Amino acid sequence: MDLDGDGQADLLSGSWPGEVYFFKGNGSGRFAKGEQLKDRNGKPIKLGSASTVFASDWDGDGVLDLLIGDIDGHVWLVPNGGTTRKPAFGSPLKLEADGKVIKAPHGDSHPILADWDGDGIADLILGCGDGGVHWYRNIGTPKEPKLAAANVLVHESNFVKKFPPETSAKDQPCMRAKVCVVDWDGDGRLDLLIGDAGYTQQEAPKLTKEEAEAKKKAQEEYNKLCTKFQSLLEEQNKLFQVPPDEQPKAKAEREKKLQAVQEKLKPFNDEAQKLYPAMFKGQPKLEWHGHVWLYLRKAAKSE
């Protein structure tokens, strides 16, 4: 992907906080230090936490647009109104399919474009938080895309269905599907490579009588703390919610209010940090892992 049109492949990456990073290609597989990708007004592009990003010419005008997924499961289109050499990213829009806003099950959306049905028009392929992969067929045109309702290519994982998992997650697909479309075996049909995240819960350690009493007391103190700061915690939770089609001015006001509330919550966080070690004593440890799964596409019955 050559975002700045200089003939060198570049890299784009999302991030947990939500910013999108651009790594300019210097040739021979080398890349410059990452920098936050900004819109045409010079503001960092940030639409939600756990962002994922894919660059492609969405509307057939010859320049690369951005598709961005977020932790809530939305898919954002950030149109490029600039040129191949000087991108100018505009106001983000939530993509719709069959007249409804797209939202990946269990959030953590990962959108990419690929011509899944071989009709010459790129479709939307979406990795989902539940471990599944959905295909949104483009029933429009290259210049005027229109997405149909989702078709399930990979169903939700058993890890999510039976949460917490009853067996070791090391032996099965898990959650937060990140998808790549490629003809893996060279048979002319597109296959799926899916990266995931999962964990195996280890046996909880036994607590001494003193540790159990300290744990109970810490939990009681924490509950009192939550009651004391309840109104601020509720307000913070509301301000974390991004309204549909939020405009830049409204976003700035919401973030300003959120910052003020978080400042008032500093005593809560300071006290809670002191209680956490005792509260979480005896919690079973989680062994996190990720795998890459290959799904080979079968030939259609008519072939």
Side-chain angles (χ1 to χ4, degrees):
M1 178 274 305
D2 181 9
L3 189 65
D4 55 5
D6 64 354
Q8 301 291 345
D10 307 308
L11 286 178
L12 288 178
S13 176
S15 67
W16 169 248
E19 294 88 354
V20 175
Y21 287 86
F22 169 59
F23 298 82
K24 179 178 175 59
N26 294 329
S28 301
R30 295 171 297 173
F31 298 90
K33 182 180 179 180
E35 58 183 70
Q36 289 184 8
L37 200 60
K38 299 179 180 178
D39 63 18
R40 61 189 172 198
N41 297 315
K43 295 183 178 180
I45 297 174
K46 181 180 179 181
L47 301 172
S49 61
S51 61
T52 59
V53 60
F54 185 82
S56 185
D57 185 3
W58 170 256
D59 52 7
D61 62 357
V63 295
L64 295 175
D65 308 297
L66 302 178
L67 291 180
I68 296 178
D70 64 23
I71 198 169
D72 292 322
H74 297 118
V75 178
W76 298 84
L77 168 66
V78 184
N80 183 357
T83 66
T84 54
R85 297 293 301 228
K86 291 185 177 181
F89 297 108
S91 300
L93 302 168
K94 287 180 181 176
L95 283 190
E96 296 184 355
D98 194 31
K100 301 176 182 178
V101 172
I102 295 172
K103 194 168 185 181
H106 285 251
D108 278 304
S109 54
H110 178 231
I112 68 170
L113 295 183
D115 183 9
W116 186 254
D117 57 357
D119 64 354
I121 306 175
D123 309 304
L124 174 66
I125 310 293
L126 186 66
C128 305
D130 66 358
V133 176
H134 293 182
W135 163 44
Y136 296 84
R137 184 169 182 262
N138 188 349
I139 57 177
T141 67
K143 290 187 176 296
E144 295 183 0
K146 183 179 180 181
L147 300 177
N151 291 277
V152 177
L153 299 181
V154 177
H155 289 278
E156 69 175 318
S157 69
N158 289 329
F159 179 89
V160 175
K161 285 182 181 178
K162 299 178 180 180
F163 191 83
E166 297 175 356
T167 59
S168 172
K170 292 181 179 179
D171 304 323
Q172 59 179 310
C174 293
M175 55 187 180
R176 299 176 184 172
K178 301 297 181 281
V179 60
C180 175
V181 175
V182 63
D183 182 3
W184 177 263
D185 54 2
D187 64 355
R189 292 185 292 269
L190 294 176
D191 308 302
L192 297 176
L193 287 173
I194 302 176
D196 70 357
Y199 64 82
T200 301
Q201 183 170 294
Q202 300 177 354
E203 186 176 351
K206 294 182 179 180
L207 298 180
T208 65
K209 182 179 179 180
E210 291 76 13
E211 289 173 333
E213 290 176 352
K215 179 181 177 74
K216 181 180 178 181
K217 183 178 179 180
Q219 184 65 61
E220 291 172 348
E221 291 298 320
Y222 181 77
N223 292 341
K224 292 178 182 178
L225 196 61
C226 288
T227 300
K228 180 180 178 180
F229 288 89
Q230 182 175 353
S231 60
L232 285 173
L233 290 170
E234 290 176 350
E235 187 176 357
Q236 176 183 243
N237 186 55
K238 289 180 181 179
L239 291 170
F240 271 133
Q241 307 303 315
V242 180
D245 305 319
E246 183 180 45
Q247 299 301 309
K249 184 178 180 181
K251 180 180 179 181
E253 292 176 353
R254 179 177 58 81
E255 291 180 343
K256 184 178 180 180
K257 291 180 181 178
L258 178 59
Q259 186 176 5
V261 169
Q262 289 176 328
E263 184 63 30
K264 292 179 181 179
L265 280 171
K266 191 173 184 305
F268 169 84
N269 292 321
D270 290 343
E271 290 301 314
Q273 288 292 334
K274 298 175 184 177
L275 298 171
Y276 288 154
M279 281 175 59
F280 297 134
K281 191 78 172 179
Q283 289 281 357
K285 291 185 178 180
L286 304 180
E287 181 186 352
W288 284 90
H289 38 72
H291 298 97
V292 177
W293 303 88
L294 170 64
Y295 291 79
L296 292 174
R297 190 171 184 178
K298 297 180 179 179
K301 292 183 180 180
S302 58
E303 292 184 27

